[in-house]
Short mmCIF file of all heavy atoms in Angstrom, two decimals:
data_model
loop_
_atom_site.label_atom_id
_atom_site.label_comp_id
_atom_site.label_asym_id
_atom_site.label_seq_id
_atom_site.Cartn_x
_atom_site.Cartn_y
_atom_site.Cartn_z
N GLY A 152 -3.54 0.57 24.41
CA GLY A 152 -4.33 1.42 25.26
C GLY A 152 -4.74 2.72 24.67
O GLY A 152 -5.90 3.18 24.85
N ALA A 155 -7.42 2.04 22.02
CA ALA A 155 -8.72 1.73 22.56
C ALA A 155 -9.42 2.95 23.19
O ALA A 155 -10.62 2.97 23.34
CB ALA A 155 -8.51 0.71 23.75
N ALA A 156 -8.61 4.06 23.50
CA ALA A 156 -9.28 5.27 24.00
C ALA A 156 -10.15 5.91 22.95
O ALA A 156 -10.95 6.84 23.33
CB ALA A 156 -8.21 6.13 24.53
N SER A 158 -12.64 4.72 21.50
CA SER A 158 -14.08 4.38 21.70
C SER A 158 -14.80 5.42 22.58
O SER A 158 -15.81 6.00 22.14
CB SER A 158 -14.15 2.96 22.30
OG SER A 158 -15.54 2.62 22.55
N PRO A 159 -14.35 5.69 23.84
CA PRO A 159 -15.00 6.71 24.67
C PRO A 159 -14.94 8.07 24.13
O PRO A 159 -15.90 8.85 24.26
CB PRO A 159 -14.34 6.58 26.05
CG PRO A 159 -13.03 5.96 25.74
CD PRO A 159 -13.19 5.05 24.56
N VAL A 160 -13.84 8.41 23.47
CA VAL A 160 -13.69 9.77 22.96
C VAL A 160 -14.72 10.08 21.86
O VAL A 160 -15.42 11.06 21.82
CB VAL A 160 -12.25 10.05 22.44
CG1 VAL A 160 -12.17 11.38 21.67
CG2 VAL A 160 -11.24 10.05 23.56
N SER A 163 -18.36 10.21 23.17
CA SER A 163 -18.76 11.52 23.81
C SER A 163 -18.81 12.62 22.70
O SER A 163 -19.39 13.68 23.05
CB SER A 163 -17.74 11.85 24.87
OG SER A 163 -16.46 11.95 24.30
N PHE A 303 -26.65 11.40 32.52
CA PHE A 303 -25.28 11.81 32.88
C PHE A 303 -24.39 10.73 33.41
O PHE A 303 -23.18 10.83 33.36
CB PHE A 303 -25.38 12.99 33.94
CG PHE A 303 -24.03 13.59 34.23
CD1 PHE A 303 -23.36 14.39 33.26
CD2 PHE A 303 -23.52 13.41 35.42
CE1 PHE A 303 -22.15 14.93 33.56
CE2 PHE A 303 -22.25 13.94 35.75
CZ PHE A 303 -21.58 14.75 34.80
N LEU A 304 -25.06 9.67 33.92
CA LEU A 304 -24.24 8.52 34.46
C LEU A 304 -23.40 7.93 33.38
O LEU A 304 -22.23 7.53 33.60
CB LEU A 304 -25.16 7.52 35.07
CG LEU A 304 -25.94 7.90 36.29
CD1 LEU A 304 -26.93 6.80 36.75
CD2 LEU A 304 -24.97 8.21 37.52
N LEU A 305 -23.94 7.79 32.17
CA LEU A 305 -23.11 7.23 31.08
C LEU A 305 -21.95 8.09 30.69
O LEU A 305 -20.88 7.64 30.28
CB LEU A 305 -23.96 6.98 29.85
CG LEU A 305 -25.05 5.86 29.98
CD1 LEU A 305 -25.87 5.75 28.72
CD2 LEU A 305 -24.37 4.55 30.27
N SER A 306 -22.19 9.44 30.83
CA SER A 306 -21.08 10.39 30.55
C SER A 306 -19.92 10.20 31.54
O SER A 306 -18.74 10.38 31.20
CB SER A 306 -21.60 11.86 30.55
OG SER A 306 -22.61 12.03 29.59
N ILE A 307 -20.27 9.88 32.78
CA ILE A 307 -19.24 9.69 33.82
C ILE A 307 -18.42 8.42 33.46
O ILE A 307 -17.14 8.46 33.53
CB ILE A 307 -19.92 9.53 35.20
CG1 ILE A 307 -20.65 10.81 35.62
CG2 ILE A 307 -18.86 9.07 36.23
CD1 ILE A 307 -21.40 10.67 36.91
N ILE A 308 -19.12 7.37 32.98
CA ILE A 308 -18.37 6.19 32.61
C ILE A 308 -17.45 6.53 31.44
O ILE A 308 -16.25 6.03 31.46
CB ILE A 308 -19.34 5.01 32.23
CG1 ILE A 308 -20.17 4.63 33.49
CG2 ILE A 308 -18.61 3.93 31.65
CD1 ILE A 308 -21.15 3.54 33.22
N GLY A 309 -17.94 7.19 30.46
CA GLY A 309 -17.13 7.54 29.32
C GLY A 309 -15.89 8.39 29.61
O GLY A 309 -14.83 8.18 29.12
N PHE A 310 -16.14 9.39 30.50
CA PHE A 310 -15.00 10.30 30.92
C PHE A 310 -13.92 9.51 31.66
O PHE A 310 -12.72 9.71 31.40
CB PHE A 310 -15.60 11.38 31.78
CG PHE A 310 -14.54 12.42 32.24
CD1 PHE A 310 -14.05 13.34 31.31
CD2 PHE A 310 -13.99 12.36 33.44
CE1 PHE A 310 -13.09 14.28 31.67
CE2 PHE A 310 -12.97 13.28 33.88
CZ PHE A 310 -12.53 14.25 32.96
N ILE A 311 -14.30 8.65 32.55
CA ILE A 311 -13.33 7.84 33.28
C ILE A 311 -12.58 6.90 32.34
O ILE A 311 -11.39 6.64 32.39
CB ILE A 311 -13.99 7.10 34.43
CG1 ILE A 311 -14.60 8.09 35.45
CG2 ILE A 311 -12.98 6.24 35.14
CD1 ILE A 311 -13.56 8.98 36.19
N ASP A 312 -13.35 6.30 31.39
CA ASP A 312 -12.87 5.32 30.48
C ASP A 312 -11.77 5.95 29.59
O ASP A 312 -10.78 5.26 29.25
CB ASP A 312 -14.00 4.81 29.63
CG ASP A 312 -13.60 3.56 28.84
OD1 ASP A 312 -12.51 3.04 29.03
OD2 ASP A 312 -14.45 3.08 28.03
N ILE A 313 -11.84 7.25 29.21
CA ILE A 313 -10.88 7.89 28.35
C ILE A 313 -9.48 7.87 28.95
O ILE A 313 -8.46 7.63 28.29
CB ILE A 313 -11.30 9.37 28.14
CG1 ILE A 313 -12.56 9.41 27.24
CG2 ILE A 313 -10.21 10.15 27.42
CD1 ILE A 313 -13.14 10.78 26.98
N PHE A 314 -9.41 8.04 30.32
CA PHE A 314 -8.11 8.08 30.94
C PHE A 314 -7.73 6.67 31.46
O PHE A 314 -6.50 6.45 31.60
CB PHE A 314 -8.15 9.01 32.13
CG PHE A 314 -8.43 10.47 31.73
CD1 PHE A 314 -9.74 10.98 31.79
CD2 PHE A 314 -7.43 11.31 31.25
CE1 PHE A 314 -9.98 12.27 31.38
CE2 PHE A 314 -7.72 12.58 30.88
CZ PHE A 314 -8.94 13.09 30.96
N ALA A 315 -8.67 5.89 31.67
CA ALA A 315 -8.29 4.50 32.22
C ALA A 315 -7.59 3.68 31.17
O ALA A 315 -6.63 2.89 31.56
CB ALA A 315 -9.57 3.78 32.71
N ARG A 316 -7.96 3.71 29.94
CA ARG A 316 -7.37 2.87 28.92
C ARG A 316 -5.89 3.19 28.65
O ARG A 316 -5.03 2.26 28.69
CB ARG A 316 -8.15 3.00 27.66
CG ARG A 316 -9.59 2.46 27.81
CD ARG A 316 -10.27 2.25 26.55
NE ARG A 316 -11.72 1.83 26.75
CZ ARG A 316 -12.42 1.08 25.92
NH1 ARG A 316 -11.85 0.60 24.84
NH2 ARG A 316 -13.65 0.72 26.21
N PRO A 317 -5.47 4.44 28.36
CA PRO A 317 -4.03 4.68 28.19
C PRO A 317 -3.18 4.47 29.46
O PRO A 317 -2.11 3.92 29.36
CB PRO A 317 -4.04 6.16 27.83
CG PRO A 317 -5.36 6.50 27.36
CD PRO A 317 -6.34 5.62 28.10
N ALA A 318 -3.83 4.75 30.65
CA ALA A 318 -3.05 4.52 31.87
C ALA A 318 -2.80 2.99 32.07
O ALA A 318 -1.72 2.61 32.47
CB ALA A 318 -3.86 5.06 33.10
N CYS A 319 -3.83 2.18 31.76
CA CYS A 319 -3.66 0.71 31.93
C CYS A 319 -2.62 0.26 30.91
O CYS A 319 -1.86 -0.72 31.15
CB CYS A 319 -4.99 0.06 31.74
SG CYS A 319 -4.91 -1.75 31.98
N PHE A 342 -12.19 -7.21 38.85
CA PHE A 342 -12.53 -5.87 39.32
C PHE A 342 -13.88 -5.41 38.77
O PHE A 342 -14.74 -4.92 39.50
CB PHE A 342 -11.38 -4.85 39.00
CG PHE A 342 -11.55 -3.49 39.52
CD1 PHE A 342 -12.40 -3.21 40.52
CD2 PHE A 342 -10.86 -2.46 38.95
CE1 PHE A 342 -12.56 -1.96 41.05
CE2 PHE A 342 -11.02 -1.19 39.40
CZ PHE A 342 -11.85 -0.89 40.48
N LEU A 359 -24.95 5.34 42.69
CA LEU A 359 -24.83 5.04 41.28
C LEU A 359 -23.63 5.78 40.67
O LEU A 359 -22.90 5.24 39.78
CB LEU A 359 -26.11 5.44 40.54
CG LEU A 359 -27.34 4.63 40.88
CD1 LEU A 359 -28.52 5.18 40.11
CD2 LEU A 359 -27.09 3.17 40.38
N VAL A 360 -23.30 7.00 41.17
CA VAL A 360 -22.12 7.73 40.71
C VAL A 360 -20.84 6.96 41.12
O VAL A 360 -19.91 6.82 40.28
CB VAL A 360 -22.12 9.15 41.28
CG1 VAL A 360 -20.75 9.81 40.94
CG2 VAL A 360 -23.31 10.01 40.63
N ILE A 361 -20.81 6.51 42.30
CA ILE A 361 -19.61 5.72 42.72
C ILE A 361 -19.45 4.44 41.90
O ILE A 361 -18.35 4.09 41.48
CB ILE A 361 -19.77 5.35 44.23
CG1 ILE A 361 -19.73 6.63 45.10
CG2 ILE A 361 -18.64 4.38 44.63
CD1 ILE A 361 -20.03 6.36 46.54
N PHE A 362 -20.58 3.82 41.56
CA PHE A 362 -20.56 2.66 40.69
C PHE A 362 -20.01 3.04 39.35
O PHE A 362 -19.18 2.28 38.79
CB PHE A 362 -21.99 2.04 40.57
CG PHE A 362 -22.10 1.17 39.38
CD1 PHE A 362 -21.58 -0.13 39.36
CD2 PHE A 362 -22.77 1.58 38.21
CE1 PHE A 362 -21.72 -0.94 38.31
CE2 PHE A 362 -22.91 0.77 37.15
CZ PHE A 362 -22.37 -0.54 37.15
N CYS A 363 -20.41 4.12 38.75
CA CYS A 363 -19.97 4.53 37.47
C CYS A 363 -18.47 4.79 37.45
O CYS A 363 -17.75 4.54 36.45
CB CYS A 363 -20.76 5.73 37.02
SG CYS A 363 -22.46 5.45 36.65
N VAL A 364 -17.98 5.41 38.52
CA VAL A 364 -16.47 5.68 38.58
C VAL A 364 -15.67 4.41 38.54
O VAL A 364 -14.77 4.23 37.71
CB VAL A 364 -16.19 6.49 39.84
CG1 VAL A 364 -14.66 6.60 40.05
CG2 VAL A 364 -16.80 7.87 39.78
N PHE A 365 -16.08 3.46 39.43
CA PHE A 365 -15.31 2.22 39.45
C PHE A 365 -15.54 1.32 38.25
O PHE A 365 -14.69 0.64 37.75
CB PHE A 365 -15.67 1.38 40.72
CG PHE A 365 -15.06 1.93 41.96
CD1 PHE A 365 -15.76 2.78 42.83
CD2 PHE A 365 -13.75 1.65 42.30
CE1 PHE A 365 -15.19 3.32 43.95
CE2 PHE A 365 -13.16 2.18 43.46
CZ PHE A 365 -13.88 2.99 44.26
N PHE A 366 -16.80 1.43 37.69
CA PHE A 366 -17.07 0.62 36.45
C PHE A 366 -16.27 1.18 35.27
O PHE A 366 -15.76 0.42 34.41
CB PHE A 366 -18.57 0.69 36.16
CG PHE A 366 -18.93 -0.19 35.01
CD1 PHE A 366 -19.22 -1.50 35.13
CD2 PHE A 366 -18.96 0.34 33.68
CE1 PHE A 366 -19.54 -2.30 34.05
CE2 PHE A 366 -19.34 -0.40 32.62
CZ PHE A 366 -19.64 -1.79 32.78
N GLY A 367 -16.13 2.53 35.23
CA GLY A 367 -15.42 3.15 34.14
C GLY A 367 -13.91 2.75 34.14
O GLY A 367 -13.32 2.48 33.14
N ILE A 368 -13.33 2.67 35.40
CA ILE A 368 -12.00 2.25 35.58
C ILE A 368 -11.74 0.82 35.09
O ILE A 368 -10.90 0.48 34.31
CB ILE A 368 -11.48 2.45 36.99
CG1 ILE A 368 -11.50 3.94 37.39
CG2 ILE A 368 -10.08 1.87 37.19
CD1 ILE A 368 -11.25 4.17 38.89
N SER A 369 -12.63 -0.06 35.57
CA SER A 369 -12.47 -1.48 35.29
C SER A 369 -12.80 -1.82 33.86
O SER A 369 -12.15 -2.60 33.13
CB SER A 369 -13.38 -2.34 36.27
OG SER A 369 -14.71 -1.95 36.05
N TYR A 370 -13.80 -1.05 33.28
CA TYR A 370 -14.21 -1.27 31.87
C TYR A 370 -13.07 -0.80 31.02
O TYR A 370 -12.79 -1.40 29.96
CB TYR A 370 -15.47 -0.48 31.63
CG TYR A 370 -16.09 -0.84 30.26
CD1 TYR A 370 -16.80 -1.94 30.11
CD2 TYR A 370 -16.00 0.09 29.22
CE1 TYR A 370 -17.43 -2.18 28.83
CE2 TYR A 370 -16.54 -0.15 28.00
CZ TYR A 370 -17.27 -1.31 27.78
OH TYR A 370 -17.85 -1.54 26.61
N GLY A 371 -12.41 0.30 31.34
CA GLY A 371 -11.30 0.85 30.51
C GLY A 371 -10.12 -0.16 30.60
O GLY A 371 -9.46 -0.34 29.61
N MET A 372 -9.88 -0.75 31.76
CA MET A 372 -8.77 -1.77 31.85
C MET A 372 -9.04 -2.99 30.90
O MET A 372 -8.11 -3.46 30.25
CB MET A 372 -8.61 -2.19 33.28
CG MET A 372 -8.15 -1.12 34.25
SD MET A 372 -8.06 -1.70 35.96
CE MET A 372 -6.84 -2.94 35.85
N ALA A 375 -8.54 -1.96 27.26
CA ALA A 375 -7.14 -1.78 26.89
C ALA A 375 -6.38 -3.01 26.79
O ALA A 375 -5.35 -3.07 25.99
CB ALA A 375 -6.47 -0.78 27.89
#
Side-chain angles (χ1 to χ4, degrees):
S158 175
V160 170
S163 60
F303 184 69
L304 294 174
L305 291 178
S306 301
I307 295 175
I308 295 178
F310 181 77
I311 299 296
D312 194 6
I313 291 174
F314 298 97
R316 297 192 182 210
C319 185
F342 184 17
L359 292 175
V360 169
I361 295 174
F362 161 75
C363 290
V364 171
F365 284 98
F366 186 86
I368 296 174
S369 59
Y370 189 79
M372 293 175 65

